[in-house]
């Protein structure tokens, strides 16, 4: 078996040879984040994929993220090192189900969280991520908005807008694993810690938070805050960079269930193998790509926090 250093060296060499760039989501395994050229949240990585000059994008994340890169940059080859790395929340609504919902409310624009398939994006008016959901909802020229697939992100957005927000009843199984009792216990054990969480958490958990934001928003908040300890309400992969960037601060995970199995599938061996063989290439049929691109591009024009 090759060592981490050997694998990393081979991957770096191949990335160069293939004019490739390696992107990693903030929930990826530590060693994958460490080697990546860029790590970030869904929105930041989509933007990096679109702006990069590389010919090949090795997307270490889950399927919808690689698909977004393929939609935004069709001239590039997008590799997802493990094709089985999906997002259960994205799979909670199909294009057909969304089409049926739209028939029930013909004049209500659809805001699709990027955690959706390309087909669902194609049926939507505009996309959003956890970093810009409120701004996106506000940007839509309508008093009413239908959000898919995350009920928690939709209900959180509804707290800050006068628009009528309705939603599909999807959710992230990983974030819903975090209970209000877990947070209460962590707060009791760490009374001076601030609690920050992702908007995919349940409303009861969000009610207990000092700060609610995307994964990249958490890095910013931890860095800028004067607090010395933080309880983290999101997938545990985020701890790698939080701890690396803030060695003087403490980060507490309130539940060991905050793990997304799909985000942990990609290993350095998978990255190397897929690059070597140029396999696991994500493509989107051109008719769906063109329609979903409209929704993604509209989102990218909305300023982020
Ligand atoms: P971010 O957009 O905050 O990176 O979140 C993506 C995700 O899958 C959260 O579960
Ligand atoms: Fe999907 Fe949740 Fe995993 Fe994010 S953490 S990829 S929303 S299942």
């Amino acid at each position: 078996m090759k060592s981490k250093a050997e694998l990393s060296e081979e991957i770096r060499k191949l990335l160069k040879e293939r004019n490739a760039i390696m992107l990693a989501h903030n929930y990826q395994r530590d060693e994958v984040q460490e080697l990546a050229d860029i790590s970030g949240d869904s929105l930041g990585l989509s933007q990096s994929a679109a702006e990069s000059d590389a010919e090949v994008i090795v997307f270490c994340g889950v399927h919808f993220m690689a698909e977004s890169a393929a939609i935004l940059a069709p001239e590039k080859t997008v590799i997802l090192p493990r094709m089985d790395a999906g997002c259960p929340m994205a799979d909670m609504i199909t294009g057909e189900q969304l089409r049926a919902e739209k028939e029930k409310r013909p004049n209500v624009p659809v805001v699709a969280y990027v955690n959706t398939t390309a087909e669902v994006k194609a049926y939507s008016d505009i996309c959003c991520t956890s970093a810009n959901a409120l701004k996106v909802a506000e940007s839509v020229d309508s008093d009413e908005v239908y959000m898919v697939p995350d009920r928690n992100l939709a209900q959180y957005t509804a707290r800050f807008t006068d628009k009528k927000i309705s939603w599909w009843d999807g959710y992230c199984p990983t974030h819903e694993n975090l209970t209000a009792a877990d947070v209460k216990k962590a707060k009791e054990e760490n009374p001076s810690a601030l609690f920050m969480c992702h908007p995919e958490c349940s409303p009861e958990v969000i009610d207990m938070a000092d700060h609610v934001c995307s994964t990249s928003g958490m890095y910013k908040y931890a860095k800028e805050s004067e607090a010395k300890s933080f309880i983290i309400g999101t997938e545990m992969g985020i701890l790698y960079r939080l701890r690396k960037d803030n060695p003087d601060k403490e980060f507490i995970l309130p539940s060991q269930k905050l793990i997304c199995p799909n985000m942990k599938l990609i290993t350095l061996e998978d990255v190397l193998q897929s690059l070597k063989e140029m396999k696991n290439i994500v493509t989107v049929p051109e008719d769906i790509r063109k329609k979903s691109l409209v929704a993604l591009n509209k989102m990218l024009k909305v300023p982020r926090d």
Side-chain angles (χ1 to χ4, degrees), residues 27 62 64 87-89 115 172-175 200 260 263:
Y27 297 158
V62 289
F64 76 83
C87 167
M89 172 158 69
N115 299 41
C172 163
T174 300
H175 285 84
E200 286 175 19
C260 174
M263 279 285 184

Side-chain angles (χ1 to χ4, degrees), residues 25-27 40-43 62 64-65 87 89 113-115 129-131 172 174-175 198-200 213-217 234-235 260 263:
H25 187 263
N26 295 326
Y27 297 158
D41 63 6
S42 310
L43 177 56
V62 289
F64 76 83
M65 297 180 180
C87 167
M89 172 158 69
Y113 193 21
V114 283
N115 299 41
T129 75
S130 57
C172 163
T174 300
H175 285 84
H198 197 276
E200 286 175 19
C213 58
S214 75
T215 53
S216 288
T234 197
E235 210 276 345
C260 174
M263 279 285 184

Side-chain angles (χ1 to χ4, degrees), residues 30-42:
D30 294 1
E31 62 275 20
V32 172
Q33 292 193 48
E34 194 183 328
L35 190 65
D37 296 289
I38 301 173
S39 58
D41 63 6
S42 310

Side-chain angles (χ1 to χ4, degrees), residues 207-218:
D207 283 343
M208 300 169 87
D210 297 291
H211 191 60
V212 181
C213 58
S214 75
T215 53
S216 288
M218 291 189 187

Side-chain angles (χ1 to χ4, degrees), residues 96-111:
E96 198 43 47
Q97 284 170 316
L98 178 54
R99 210 181 51 76
E101 288 303 314
K102 278 168 62 117
E103 269 174 20
K104 291 184 210 160
R105 40 179 85 70
N107 299 318
V108 180
V110 175
V111 174

